[in-house]
Amino acid sequence: MCNVMLLVRKERIVDDDTRSRLIPVYTEYLRSIRTRGRDRYTLFCSDYSYKVTTTDFNTFMQTVQIFMNAKNLLLHARAIPETEVTDNGRSTIYTNERFAVAHHGTIPDAEKHNPRITIDSELLLDIYRDVDYTDIQNWFIKSLEKYPRSTTEIVYDREENAYIIASNFMPLYKYEDNYIKLYSTFKVNNDFIQQDGYKVFIEKLI
């Protein structure tokens, strides 16, 4: 089981009073990622091409707080299944020279498409190689037909400096105010609105 969250900044908070009021709220939202992921935590921030993975939640949250003024934060928390015999300690946000991907769901037979991967979510790096922004909604539906999967997937594309957020029947929730947008695979509270399935969102970074 896992949780994925993406914070995208719409506008920088310049007022000290507003910052002191909202940053703790945002931090608590992000802290709730632990509800279904308790064994490994990964943070990715495209501002600095920075990625860190830890098994210690306090260390993870300290890193989150350091990067709270960044333009974006992609977080992944994973609970390792009891049936998983080995744990190689790898990051749970997978990257190559172009993409960073975080995934909630399963991709059956992923290793048949790419025998070199060690976990199914890595296949998203291959799937997005031919992403078509001219009609990304149609492209996503076709990708589900080619690579059947249960999925909420959040993908950062360095070439476009943008995040792609997509899901089929898997849950996706969104919170938005004047300063941030926050996507989540779980409902943090009633301020988070469930999004329709089989939709794609693009968040171009400012």
Side-chain angles (χ1 to χ4, degrees):
M1 297 175 66
C2 63
N3 279 332
V4 182
M5 301 183 83
L6 170 66
L7 185 151
V8 177
R9 189 172 301 284
K10 296 165 59 179
E11 182 177 332
R12 192 168 296 277
I13 303 175
V14 296
D15 178 76
D16 289 340
D17 290 339
T18 303
R19 183 184 298 108
S20 64
R21 177 172 57 87
L22 289 181
I23 293 300
V25 174
Y26 298 158
T27 302
E28 283 305 306
Y29 286 170
L30 298 177
R31 182 182 296 276
S32 65
I33 196 170
R34 193 180 191 182
T35 56
R36 289 174 57 192
R38 61 184 180 272
D39 296 316
R40 178 164 301 111
Y41 311 95
T42 301
L43 175 150
F44 171 82
C45 178
S46 73
D47 289 15
Y48 310 100
S49 296
Y50 182 84
K51 185 175 72 168
V52 63
T53 298
T54 180
T55 58
D56 183 79
F57 186 69
N58 290 329
T59 299
F60 175 72
M61 286 307 304
Q62 288 170 6
T63 309
V64 167
Q65 290 173 334
I66 290 170
F67 284 90
M68 279 303 292
N69 287 322
K71 294 178 182 177
N72 64 97
L73 286 176
L74 178 60
L75 309 180
H76 191 285
R78 182 169 187 251
I80 300 171
E82 293 182 3
T83 55
E84 191 169 303
V85 177
T86 59
D87 174 18
N88 57 19
R90 290 185 57 191
S91 166
T92 54
I93 296 176
Y94 305 99
T95 59
N96 60 18
E97 61 281 356
R98 179 176 176 182
F99 297 110
V101 301
H103 179 228
H104 172 55
T106 58
I107 308 176
D109 301 322
E111 70 283 355
K112 293 182 179 179
H113 296 283
N114 184 344
R116 294 172 297 176
I117 64 175
T118 58
I119 194 165
D120 59 346
S121 299
E122 284 186 277
L123 189 65
L124 290 173
L125 293 171
D126 295 340
I127 292 173
Y128 275 81
R129 281 185 302 186
D130 65 347
V131 60
D132 181 5
Y133 285 94
T134 61
D135 189 358
I136 196 165
Q137 184 69 48
N138 184 55
W139 175 87
F140 176 63
I141 297 301
K142 288 184 176 180
S143 82
L144 292 173
E145 295 171 355
K146 185 175 181 180
Y147 303 96
R149 58 194 186 273
S150 62
T151 191
T152 297
E153 51 201 51
I154 300 180
V155 179
Y156 175 68
D157 185 345
R158 290 182 178 85
E159 289 186 5
E160 299 292 329
N161 194 29
Y163 278 95
I164 303 164
I165 305 98
S167 65
N168 50 12
F169 56 83
M170 296 292 282
L172 176 65
Y173 298 87
K174 181 181 177 183
Y175 166 85
E176 184 172 4
D177 63 22
N178 292 332
Y179 300 100
I180 69 165
K181 295 180 184 179
L182 185 54
Y183 294 89
S184 174
T185 55
F186 64 102
K187 188 172 185 175
V188 177
N189 59 32
N190 288 334
D191 293 328
F192 284 70
I193 306 302
Q194 186 164 11
Q195 305 300 294
D196 292 337
Y198 296 90
K199 291 190 66 175
V200 181
F201 302 90
I202 303 291
E203 293 293 347
K204 190 78 173 177
L205 299 183
I206 58 174

